[in-house]
Amino acid sequence: MMPDAVVRRIRFSIIWIIPILSVLIAGFLVWRSFASNGPEITVVFDTADGMTSGQTQLKNKAVVLGTVQNISLTEDLRHVKVRIRMNSGTNDMLTDRARFWVVRPRINGASITGLETLMSGAYIAFDPGLEGVDIGKTKHMTTFQGLEAPPGVRSDQPGRTYTLVAPSIGSIGQGAPVFFRDVDVGEVLGYTMPPGGRGPILIQVFIREPYDRYLRTDTRFWNVSGVQVGFGAGGLKVQLQSLQALFSGGVAFGLPRDEDGSSTASEAPADTVFKLYDSKEDADSAGYHERVPLATYVTSSVKGLTAGSQVTMFGIQIGSVTSVKLDLDQKAGHPRVRIGMQIQPERVLDAKDIKHGALTDMFKTLVANGLRASTDSASFLTGETMISLNFVKNPPPATTSMEGQTLVIPGQAGGMNGIMDSLSTVASRLSAMPFEQIGVNANNLLANADKTLTSPEIKQSLASLKVSMQNLQDMSTQLRKGVGPLMQRLPEMTNQLDQTIQNANRLLASYGGNSDFHRNLQSMVLQLGQTARSLRFLSDFLTNHPSALISGR
C-alpha cells in the first residue's frame, strides 16, 4: 500500500521581486515610449548634407520636437527622404502650412548664418506657419517638401509683404536688406520671373513691424546696390548704403512730402505693388507732375549723351533727356540726331507759380530772345554729356515748330564740338587768304623801299635838307644878335628857305607812298612854305617902312 502524498504549501520567495519589477519597468518604458512619441513624418530634401540618422534633431525656437530616424533615396534617385519621429503634442502642427529646412552655415552676401551648427551639427528647422491662421481651414499632412534655403519671413514675425516691379533686379538677391532712412527695416524674400522671360520681374519684400506703417500709397522704392561714384562741383563723391548692400544688393524707400512736411496719402495695405526705380534721383523725378516735352536736332557728336542725362540752364538742372535717336532728314539729305527732353519746372519753381499750358509759350519767347540747346560736357573724367540751354548773343533768326505735343527748339554745337567748329571756321578763313601773294607783295615792297632809300636822289635831297635846316638855325641865331645883321641876310635866308622847300618837295616826290614818313615830310614842307611867306612879307615891309623898327607898325 502506497503512502499518501504529502501536499506542501508553496512559499513566496523574495527573489521573484526582481523579474517582476523588470517586467513592470519594461512595460512602463514601452508605454512611455509610445505615449511620448508623436506621429512619424517624411520630409523630402534635395540633399542630406549634415544629417545623421538617430542624431539630427528637428527644432523650433531651439526646442527639440523630433529626431531623424532614417535617411534614404527616393525611387528616382534625385532626392532624399528623411523619416522623422515627432514628439507627442505635435500632431496639430503638422498641417499644409508647415515648412522645413536644414540649418547649416551659410554665407548670403554680407550676412553669415548658422554658425552655431559648426559645433553641434546641422539640424532641421520647423515653422508651423499657424500664426494668425484658422486651424479649422488647414489640412493635416505627414509628407512634406523641404526648403533648400531658409524662408525670409517666419510665420510668427509681425510685418507685411509687398511686391516691387522692375525691368531687372541687378545685384538684388534673396535676403538683401530694405532700408528706410538708412535703417534696416526688412529684407527681400525672392523674385518671380515673368512667363516666357518677357515683362517686368516681381520682387517680394518683407517690412517688419512697426516700420510697415510708414509705407504709403505714394511711397517710392529705389535700388541702393553697390557703390555709387560720381564727379560733381565738390569733387569725387562715393555713396555706400552699407556693406551688406554692397555684396548682396539692397532696396530703400522714402516718402514724398507736401510743402508742410506731411504726406496726405493713405497707409499701404499688404501686397501693394510699387515700382522699383534705378536710383534715388529717378525716384525723386517721378514726383514732378508738370512736364514740358522738348526736342532739338544737332549735327555734332552726342557721345556720352544717354536717356537720363541732365538738362540744365545756367548750370541748374531743370529736366532730363528722354531719348537720343539718329534721324535722316529727307529734306536736307543728311543725317542728324534728335534729342528728346522733358523739362520739369517744379525743380526750380513752386507748384503754385506754374500754369499748365503756358510753359510752351514761354519757351517760344525764350527762343526768340536767343535760347539755344547745345551739348556740353558734364564730366571730363567719365565722358558724361548733358544738354545746356543757353542764351546766344546776336543769334541768327530761328523759329520753333511742333511735333505733336513736343516743342522743337533750335540747337547748335556746344562744348568741345562748338570749339572745334569755331576753330574750323577760323582755319577755313585763314586758308582762303592769299598768303603766298601777300608774301610776294611784301618782298617787292621791301625791295622797292630799299632801292628808293639808297638812290642818289634821296641822298642828295637829304643832304640839301640838312643844309637848309642849318641855314634856318643860323637865321634864328641872327635874330637873337640884332635886327641889322638880319636885314642884311634876310634876302639870302629867304632864297635858302626856298631852296630848302624845293629839296623837300623833291624828296617827297622821290619817296612817295602813304606812310608815316611821307605824311610827316609833307607836313614839314607845308610849314616851311608858311615860314618862307612870312619872311618875304617881313622883308618887304621893313624895306618899305624901315622906321617901323623904332616907332612900330
Side-chain angles (χ1 to χ4, degrees), residues 92-98 128-140 155:
D92 293 339
M93 303 179 185
L94 303 176
T95 65
D96 55 350
R97 309 279 299 187
L130 299 177
E131 188 72 21
V133 178
D134 186 3
I135 299 180
K137 296 181 180 180
T138 60
K139 180 181 178 180
H140 185 270
S155 61

Side-chain angles (χ1 to χ4, degrees), residues 426-435:
V426 173
S428 299
R429 293 180 178 179
L430 290 177
S431 62
M433 295 182 65
F435 286 106

